[in-house]
Amino acid sequence: MSRTRLRLSRLAPLLALLATACALVPTSAPAPLHLGDLANDGDPTRRASQRLVLDGLRADAQNESERARGLYQRALQVDSGNPYAYLALARQSAAQDEPELALEYVARAEDLLATEVNRSPGADAHLDGLRGIALTQTGETVEGEALLERAAQNAPDVWGDGRLDAEELR
Amino acid sequence: MARRGRKPAWLRLAAGAVIAVAFTIGFAAAGLIAGLDHTVRSRFEGVRFRVPSRVYGAPTILYPGLDWRRIDLPGALARLGYRAADTAIALPPGQYVWSGQRARIHLRAFSHPSRPEPARDVVLRLDGDLVSAIRAVPSGEELGAVLLEPEPLGAYYGPAHEQRELVRLAEVPPHLVDAVLAVEDQRFATHSGIDFRRIAGAMLANLRAGEIRQGGSTLTQQLVKNFFLTPERTLQRKLQEAAMALIVEARYDKDEILESYLNEIYLGQRGATAIHGVGEGAHLYFGKPASELGVAESALLAAIIQSPNGISPYRDPKRATQRRNLVLDLMLEQGRLEPDAHARAREESLHLATVTPDANDARYFLDLLRRQLAETYPTEVLTQEGLRIYSTLDPRLQRIAAESLRQGLESLEKRRPALARQGDAALQGCIVAIRPQTGELLALVGGRDYRHSQFDRCTQARRQVGSVFKPFVFVAALEPWRGPPVITLASRLDDTPFEVKTPSGPWRPANHDRQFHGEVGVRDALEQSYNVATARLAERVGIGRVADVARRLGVESSMPKVPSLALGTAEIAPIELARAYATLASGGVRPTTQTVEDVVDGEGSVMEKRRLRFERVIDAGTAFLATSLLEGVADRGTARSLRAGGLRGPIAAKTGTTDEERDLWFVGYTPDLVAVVWVGFDTPRGLGIPSSVGALPIWRSFIEGATGGVVRGAFPKPPVIEEAAVEPGTGALALNGCPERREEYFLAGTLPTAVCPDGGGEADSGGLLHWLRGRL
């Protein structure tokens, strides 16, 4: 009996730790993706590509959209399978009211994200939101608004205002 | 009585005549001057210089983890005119110091209206062949990636075949201006277009010599002569030149005249191309922009003006050095150079750039681009308005492609003398490479030697494609279409005698080995390129659907919907095959082929920018299955000799040899690169070798050069793909107890329903799970 009690007391800290961990496990949608969080992920090629995407987002945030586009293309030159470069291009195209392009880039990003080994779940809200903006721009407002609403529910901090700024993606 | 003071009639007549003549001459002179003035103004105020448009390649990107030896960084620096310096102290742009594990490079600025790059002094830490870190100097900031400016690929010349790079006077170093003025026109700042002291001095010198040795022309006169007049030495032309020089000086300020002169002056030849202006001259002789010229280099450039071909430092370095030193002495005498700078410059040896004729490696690409650009830009604009065309071509891959093709064809001819040139009919070939994810054209060599034939066999020729068409049949059969797909990778195909009735009689396909193989696996059928099994499969799928798949993937040529289409009887251009295979490589998304990123006009504004475009045409799962099949061709099938040289990593490929071995094809891709090789004669005749001997080695050489022999990455597996073990002989799902098993890929929901061993057996957990999934 006493031996059992002793064992339980020894396990108490472990159980407490487990309970804390369970409490910390998110039950809602994952946090929205910030590409800066991925800057050091992947092989050197991906990291270099990612740095170029981040530089591009910085340029986009400073309204240097052409420079930004050039940097996104350079990012693809280094790693043509980098989904985040397409995501950044999609964001820029949506912001520039080029919905057809935005939809192509979102689809490309989505395809490539689907095959990523370390896929960031926080990208889904961006895919929904960007597709929502583009569809709304093409007049498909019902579908577009539904996607924007879903993006806002999953990432209210970013998509609450129905848009994705370059800094928010960065 | 005669009237007093009245002049005789003859005198009055004579006076009248004189006045009339004077008026006539005056009017004529005024008319002449007005005409000359009009000529001067129309040139100075119109398009002053005809500047050919230049085409640039994609920039080289340096980043930590990059293999600097593979991208030939020292070669790239040399081609861009970067010079090795002795010391890194105050290293100017365009120079570098390479010491062991450290390369300090002062990158030049890249001028572009929307994506400029500043000059950057950086240190590359090197760890063996890899760049381990890049830091800015002096801040020490770690940099993720830096760009080398794009390499020039060529230019579109007008009929005069002149090349020049326009420079603004403010960009020209003062010592270059001083050197030119010291030797060509020391009183330029004060004269009015004609320097009478200089003329007198020249006349005296010529009289003494008994021949014309010196000219007395000012810069303005030289400019006028080059702009408007012929080089003949007649009095009339000299008078015209003098009059126009006075007009130019009266109308335009000195800086404008000087800038025009510096851009107009003839400075030598690069092959058939005449080099004009100090901007282009600096590139020709020193491999750098005029703004980076030092004192000694400036003096040499000024020294050459008198007789660019006679005083060429390449032909006669001694004479060129002597005249350079004369220029330096004149600069000292005229107070344009300090004594210590003069002494240092005189001590300098000639540091000349390696003379390279116009690189002809990219000429087929330049022609393709010209044909495409002609849809938007008239010829005069392309040849005269100095556009900067930023292309997608990768100069490194282009060189590797050109070299691979050249060596491959030469090696074939050496081993098989029957293939060597017979009259004009040389063995030909072409190679084209595309980045599949973006559609950017990276390399294009349209023939063996552009000088002998400008016909581009990769974009302008359509040839029978043979077995490289077969994957389209398999894609059509693997793709779910109004129901489940016709086959899976575990299916069995029929390779037994087969006949189709056609309007031109029965068609009986045969295999290359003249045998039938009975029931064969899908992988075997493509890996061994069995004609009969493929033709039978095409019949099951429908030849119309096969053509539709090829069309969706990117084939544009007409495809007769006949049974033999399955075996590649259609005539298709290599670039179309590159696009179609690129679609498979990018997971079923067809990219628009890109050759240009943007076009900038002579004033520095972006005229056109082109965007990457995509369209999904095949589902990702089917594209992955097709890629997996083609990986088998490279690993075990007709292309297995690819691996013989040690080439490693993911490669999907297909060989193709047409009837009588008239056309040899090899198409293959890695996750980042698609390349197509064609080998044959322009007038089709048999080569007597299969593509694995004729075309494959060229492709292998190209990919080995491009990747260093190790292909990175992997073909991404989409979530819709499931893996399960099958029994190879039957295609049944292999459970525990099945004697033979092989892992295979399936689209979700298409697992085999038959199991091995027949009737069940002890299921392993994975196999059972798949088995159940297949039934749910």
Side-chain angles (χ1 to χ4, degrees):
Chain A
M1 213 37 197
S2 61
R3 192 180 283 174
T4 313
R5 225 179 273 132
L6 184 65
R7 273 190 194 156
L8 279 174
S9 67
R10 276 187 182 173
L11 284 176
L14 192 64
L15 289 170
L17 196 67
L18 198 65
T20 313
C22 287
L24 288 173
V25 168
T27 50
S28 57
L33 169 70
H34 295 285
L35 300 191
D37 298 340
L38 309 175
N40 296 317
D41 289 0
D43 65 8
T45 308
R46 172 58 61 86
R47 289 200 293 273
S49 177
Q50 205 67 357
R51 291 283 290 264
L52 287 161
V53 174
L54 292 172
D55 288 349
L57 286 170
R58 196 176 295 122
D60 247 338
Q62 292 164 357
N63 292 323
E64 297 176 52
S65 58
E66 283 307 310
R67 178 170 158 72
R69 189 177 66 89
L71 287 162
Y72 301 146
Q73 288 206 209
R74 297 287 84 79
L76 290 172
Q77 188 181 327
V78 173
D79 178 1
S80 59
N82 182 354
Y84 307 107
Y86 293 103
L87 201 61
L89 279 166
R91 194 215 67 80
Q92 191 191 60
S93 301
Q96 293 177 348
D97 210 358
E98 296 175 313
E100 297 301 336
L101 268 178
L103 286 171
E104 285 176 27
Y105 294 143
V106 169
R108 203 77 198 93
E110 191 171 32
D111 284 342
L112 291 165
L113 280 166
T115 59
E116 282 280 294
V117 179
N118 299 316
R119 185 190 174 177
S120 170
D124 289 345
H126 297 328
L127 294 173
D128 280 345
L130 291 170
R131 188 172 272 129
I133 292 175
L135 287 174
T136 308
Q137 287 168 343
T138 59
E140 294 173 74
T141 44
V142 177
E143 297 89 336
E145 281 169 9
L147 285 167
L148 278 168
E149 199 172 316
R150 194 162 77 188
Q153 275 171 6
N154 289 333
D157 291 351
V158 172
W159 281 99
D161 58 358
R163 47 186 279 186
L164 178 66
D165 293 334
E167 274 301 325
E168 290 173 322
L169 183 57
R170 199 160 78 88
Chain B
M1 190 175 96
R3 275 166 62 186
R4 235 180 93 195
R6 181 161 183 171
K7 298 209 166 56
W10 65 267
L11 194 61
R12 275 185 282 134
L13 265 175
V18 166
I19 290 166
V21 168
F23 265 106
T24 308
I25 290 172
F27 273 120
L32 194 67
I33 289 168
L36 294 176
D37 181 52
H38 176 74
T39 307
V40 166
R41 285 174 59 189
S42 61
R43 178 69 187 260
F44 267 80
E45 285 158 29
V47 180
R48 205 174 293 180
F49 299 102
R50 292 183 175 87
V51 183
S53 297
R54 275 175 191 272
V55 181
Y56 296 86
T60 299
I61 304 172
L62 309 177
Y63 54 88
L66 181 75
D67 184 334
W68 61 267
R69 214 182 286 277
R70 183 171 61 78
I71 65 150
D72 184 22
L73 180 55
L77 291 172
R79 283 189 299 278
L80 288 167
Y82 280 72
R83 181 169 300 166
D86 299 327
T87 170
I89 298 166
L91 192 71
Q95 295 198 15
Y96 66 93
V97 177
W98 200 295
S99 53
Q101 298 302 293
R102 189 173 182 273
R104 167 105 176 255
I105 309 172
H106 200 149
L107 300 167
R108 292 196 189 104
F110 167 49
S111 156
H112 188 285
S114 57
R115 45 187 178 89
E117 289 290 329
R120 264 184 173 165
D121 197 354
V122 299
V123 168
L124 274 60
R125 288 270 169 201
L126 309 173
D127 183 4
D129 290 351
L130 298 182
V131 175
S132 58
I134 303 177
R135 292 206 179 85
V137 176
S139 70
E141 181 197 356
E142 196 135 337
L143 302 170
V146 291
L147 272 63
L148 283 178
E149 66 266 32
E151 284 182 38
L153 299 175
Y156 297 128
Y157 301 109
H161 221 75
E162 292 176 2
Q163 178 62 294
R164 61 164 56 78
E165 181 182 271
L166 291 184
V167 290
R168 303 254 176 241
L169 191 57
E171 299 164 11
V172 177
H175 43 256
L176 176 55
V177 172
D178 282 331
V180 171
L181 294 181
V183 68
E184 290 296 322
D185 191 354
Q186 59 173 300
R187 281 177 289 279
F188 174 73
T190 52
H191 65 63
S192 306
I194 302 169
D195 184 350
F196 292 103
R197 276 174 67 188
R198 186 179 166 93
I199 292 170
M203 281 172 69
L204 206 61
N206 292 341
L207 277 173
R208 278 194 199 127
E211 58 181 344
I212 294 176
R213 278 196 179 173
Q214 272 188 30
S217 297
T218 61
L219 288 193
T220 319
Q221 285 173 287
Q222 290 180 46
L223 178 65
V224 162
K225 185 178 77 184
N226 292 344
F227 262 7
F228 310 108
L229 304 170
T230 56
E232 62 188 335
R233 290 182 168 187
T234 63
L235 183 63
Q236 187 191 351
R237 196 197 61 75
K238 285 304 275 183
L239 288 172
Q240 214 176 352
E241 178 187 296
M244 288 176 105
L246 291 170
I247 292 168
V248 167
E249 289 271 352
R251 281 213 172 268
Y252 304 101
D253 65 37
K254 289 283 184 184
D255 280 357
E256 212 169 341
I257 297 166
L258 185 57
E259 185 176 283
S260 295
Y261 176 85
L262 293 173
N263 282 306
E264 173 55 29
I265 195 71
Y266 171 67
L267 283 170
Q269 291 288 130
R270 184 190 286 124
T273 307
I275 302 302
H276 285 259
V278 294
E280 199 61 37
H283 284 292
L284 173 68
Y285 291 105
F286 308 110
K288 57 163 100 168
S291 58
E292 291 180 15
L293 292 182
V295 173
E297 291 163 333
S298 298
L300 181 61
L301 210 54
I304 291 166
I305 292 173
Q306 188 192 50
S307 172
N309 297 310
I311 312 173
S312 165
Y314 292 107
R315 261 189 224 162
D316 192 345
K318 196 174 164 191
R319 188 173 169 208
T321 308
Q322 281 170 353
R323 182 147 174 92
R324 180 201 70 176
N325 291 345
L326 170 71
V327 174
L328 290 168
D329 295 347
L330 286 172
M331 289 171 79
L332 181 71
E333 274 171 38
Q334 294 171 22
R336 297 178 193 270
L337 193 61
E338 294 300 319
D340 54 341
H342 167 260
R344 275 198 308 273
R346 271 189 76 105
E347 287 304 306
E348 269 187 44
S349 53
L350 303 181
H351 293 293
L352 299 175
T354 310
V355 178
T356 50
D358 272 348
N360 64 5
D361 282 348
R363 285 196 200 168
Y364 290 103
F365 176 75
L366 293 176
D367 281 0
L368 170 69
L369 213 54
R370 189 176 191 144
R371 291 195 296 274
Q372 292 177 343
L373 292 168
E375 292 169 14
T376 317
Y377 307 99
T379 305
E380 307 80 61
V381 173
L382 276 180
T383 57
Q384 298 178 13
E385 295 195 5
L387 309 186
R388 283 182 284 152
I389 300 154
Y390 293 99
S391 79
T392 58
L393 198 88
D394 182 326
R396 183 180 74 90
L397 293 184
Q398 178 67 20
R399 276 188 295 278
I400 296 170
E403 192 57 15
S404 299
L405 184 67
R406 188 187 63 74
Q407 281 184 356
L409 295 180
E410 281 177 9
S411 158
L412 269 181
E413 287 177 336
K414 234 177 243 173
R415 281 183 289 140
R416 296 177 185 261
L419 296 176
R421 178 184 290 275
Q422 293 170 354
D424 284 341
L427 181 63
Q428 279 293 351
C430 83
I431 180 165
V432 56
I434 287 179
R435 181 175 288 131
Q437 305 289 355
T438 59
E440 292 160 292
L441 202 152
L442 302 174
L444 173 72
V445 188
R448 182 166 193 169
D449 187 343
Y450 184 88
R451 287 167 301 179
H452 286 117
S453 166
Q454 292 81 51
F455 181 62
D456 179 354
R457 292 147 191 91
C458 268
T459 66
Q460 294 177 300
R462 287 187 169 83
R463 303 287 291 239
Q464 276 206 356
V465 289
S467 297
V468 291
F469 193 86
K470 283 178 184 160
F472 308 148
V473 176
F474 286 78
V475 170
L478 288 164
E479 184 187 29
W481 184 262
R482 296 177 189 155
V486 172
I487 58 167
T488 69
L489 295 192
S491 300
R492 307 292 293 170
L493 300 178
D494 188 2
D495 191 66
T496 56
F498 170 60
E499 179 179 302
V500 186
K501 286 186 182 126
T502 71
S504 54
W507 178 65
R508 299 186 195 92
N511 287 318
H512 296 297
D513 59 6
R514 315 242 174 253
Q515 291 181 2
F516 296 95
H517 304 92
E519 193 183 89
V520 295
V522 166
R523 285 189 179 275
D524 290 334
L526 193 64
E527 285 171 12
Q528 304 308 322
S529 204
Y530 292 148
N531 286 340
V532 181
T534 307
R536 279 182 172 276
L537 182 60
E539 277 294 293
R540 280 172 67 193
V541 176
I543 208 71
R545 273 216 51 221
V546 172
D548 171 60
V549 162
R551 181 80 64 221
R552 277 188 278 145
L553 289 172
V555 173
E556 289 174 349
S557 296
S558 71
M559 289 174 281
K561 293 188 181 61
V562 295
S564 60
L565 174 68
L567 306 185
T569 49
E571 293 177 344
I572 297 172
I575 196 164
E576 295 176 64
L577 284 177
R579 186 166 49 223
Y581 275 71
T583 306
L584 295 177
S586 65
V589 174
R590 186 181 64 210
T592 301
T593 309
Q594 294 276 340
T595 50
V596 166
E597 188 169 337
D598 52 27
V599 178
V600 174
D601 69 14
E603 302 299 314
S605 305
V606 176
M607 294 179 85
E608 184 185 350
K609 53 192 174 187
R610 297 195 183 171
R611 303 293 183 90
L612 302 174
R613 303 299 302 258
F614 311 95
E615 186 181 358
R616 173 162 290 291
V617 292
I618 298 282
D619 68 276
T622 300
F624 177 81
L625 296 179
T627 295
S628 176
L629 270 180
L630 293 168
E631 282 189 279
V633 176
D635 292 339
R636 298 173 295 273
T638 53
R640 62 185 176 280
S641 58
L642 270 183
R643 305 288 189 184
L647 187 57
R648 286 183 284 142
I651 295 172
K654 186 71 192 81
T655 52
T657 308
T658 60
D659 287 348
E660 296 171 33
E661 286 113 3
R662 288 174 168 173
D663 299 278
L664 311 182
W665 292 88
F666 195 87
V667 188
Y669 54 89
T670 72
D672 299 326
L673 190 60
V674 173
V676 175
V677 171
W678 169 85
V679 173
F681 286 98
D682 285 341
T683 306
R685 68 180 172 95
L687 279 79
I689 48 171
S691 72
S692 57
V693 175
L696 180 151
I698 295 170
W699 192 93
R700 182 176 57 206
S701 162
F702 172 64
I703 294 295
E704 280 176 349
T707 63
V710 181
V711 177
R712 68 171 281 276
F715 295 112
K717 182 160 71 76
V720 70
I721 292 293
E722 293 183 347
E723 284 180 69
V726 294
E727 201 278 303
T730 60
L733 202 63
L735 306 180
N736 279 351
C738 185
E740 278 189 78
R741 51 195 297 145
R742 180 189 82 212
E743 288 297 314
E744 193 51 275
Y745 295 117
F746 296 90
L747 291 179
T750 67
L751 268 77
T753 49
V755 293
C756 166
D758 196 15
E762 193 187 335
D764 61 2
S765 57
L768 181 61
L769 190 64
H770 286 304
W771 184 76
L772 285 170
R773 227 182 263 158
R775 278 159 176 73
L776 290 173

